[in-house]
Amino acid sequence: MIEDKNPQRTSIAQLGEFGLIEHLTKNFQINQTSTLKGIGDDAAVLNFKDKKTIVSTDLLIEGVHFDLAYMPLKHLGYKAVVVNVSDICAMNAKATQITVSIAVSNRFPLEALEELYEGIALAANEYKVDLIGGDTTSSQKGMIISITVIGEADENEIVYRNGAKATDLLVVTGDIGAAYMGLQVLEREKQVFQVNPNSQPDLDAYTYLIERQLKPEARKDVRTLLHALEIKPTSMIDISDGLSSEIIHLCKQSKVGCNLYEDKLPLDPQFINVCEEFDIDSTTVAINGGEDYELLFTIPIDNFEKIKGNPNFTIIGHMTEETEGIHLVTRANTKIPLKARGWNALSE
Ligand code: ADP
Ligand code: MG
């Protein structure tokens, strides 16, 4: 669908591997002083001086992690960078470089890769990360993208998953669940399209949800916001698999329990409306849906005054002793054990 829209099809083989890399990467600039050598040698060279280096990597497989029927390649490139940068944000660090490795089958023309790299370039520019290398190869079937992101932080700034204390508050940024409902909308439209290729979907009522699915952003602002409030989280994680599963990660690694309050969950009005339209329980989606790329963190309770009422943050619960377990406290004030259903279980 995406590929056929493009009338121009230049075969990748025409350029050769070196020509292809050169063509795709020629417009990228170096912004970070820590990048001493980027693309063009056998390896990149970085210099972080007295900073600690933070590294994370993600592998994306067509048909498993993305579907090109409704994911334009430009969005895919953007999102692939964002999900990596989000992991660096979740360490309370600053993303500085990426490497991008791709494997493509001969089904993809040069124009498709140009689109992908346009998205990568947009994100690299938005998050000020330098593209410093990668690898390019062919695949038998479909597209594979692997991105590695590198970041920097002062040693004392870094926040791990294992520092939460039993009296801490649990805080989330932004709102949650929208990306999952965006995917539901897109999947419904894909099915309509398969039945009637001339259908013109009216997606106005879903713009926020679709944007959350197709063009998520990493919360690079949170580090600065918290710094200004003089708050250092005791533990932090990004929400890629769903709130429940991320809470369980924080609890297990920090050896604490948690009470999460249903009535505190930050939900967008469009999200609530579309859950009603799909006849899905909004709390279930908010805690089990994934791909919101918001940050979830814990702070000492004496930071309450600093954070309360701040539009960027919502206090959604508090940590407890480990023996008390991990629970959702419902609006009816009953306690239900939280389960790590996560993204995959929901979408199966
Ligand atoms: P090698 O033979 O050492 O693997 P390559 O010819 O694959 O080298 O790569 C040449 C340069 O281009 C290297 O700096 C490499 O990191 C970079 N590069 C290769 N593929 C990509 C890509 N898909 N995106 C960005 N940079 C790439
Ligand atoms: Mg190579």
Side-chain angles (χ1 to χ4, degrees), residues 329-347:
V329 181
T330 67
R331 287 196 187 86
N333 208 25
T334 50
K335 278 176 128 183
I336 304 172
L338 269 192
K339 298 227 168 57
R341 285 213 290 171
W343 170 255
N344 290 325
L346 245 192
S347 54

Side-chain angles (χ1 to χ4, degrees), residues 2 14 75 105 171 177 190 195 240 242 260 270 322 338 344:
I2 302 294
Q14 270 170 253
H75 286 78
S105 68
V171 181
K190 179 182 164 187
V195 176
S240 49
L260 169 70
Q270 190 175 91
E322 189 174 23
L338 269 192
N344 290 325

Side-chain angles (χ1 to χ4, degrees), residues 71-83:
M71 184 73 152
L73 280 159
K74 190 168 159 185
H75 286 78
L76 177 63
Y78 192 89
K79 183 170 176 175
V81 174
V82 164
V83 304

Side-chain angles (χ1 to χ4, degrees), residues 17-18 21 24-25 38-43 100-102 117 131-136:
E17 189 193 321
F18 187 72
I21 297 166
L24 293 175
T25 61
I39 292 170
D41 215 305
D42 295 304
V100 175
S101 298
I102 51 170
Y117 268 75
L131 177 65
I132 56 156
D135 204 17
T136 310

Side-chain angles (χ1 to χ4, degrees), residues 90-92 155 157-166 168 170 232-238 246-257 296-299 319-320 322:
M91 301 301 289
N92 203 32
E155 185 169 13
E157 286 180 310
I158 302 173
V159 176
Y160 297 92
R161 292 180 178 183
N162 65 4
K165 298 284 175 292
D168 285 350
L170 181 67
K232 185 187 172 195
T234 49
S235 69
M236 184 150 65
I237 191 167
D238 73 328
E246 314 303 2
I247 288 176
I248 291 168
H249 284 308
L250 288 187
C251 287
K252 292 261 150 80
Q253 295 213 20
S254 300
K255 299 192 169 50
V256 293
L296 175 74
F297 57 91
T298 54
I299 55 172
M319 311 321 268
T320 62
E322 189 174 23

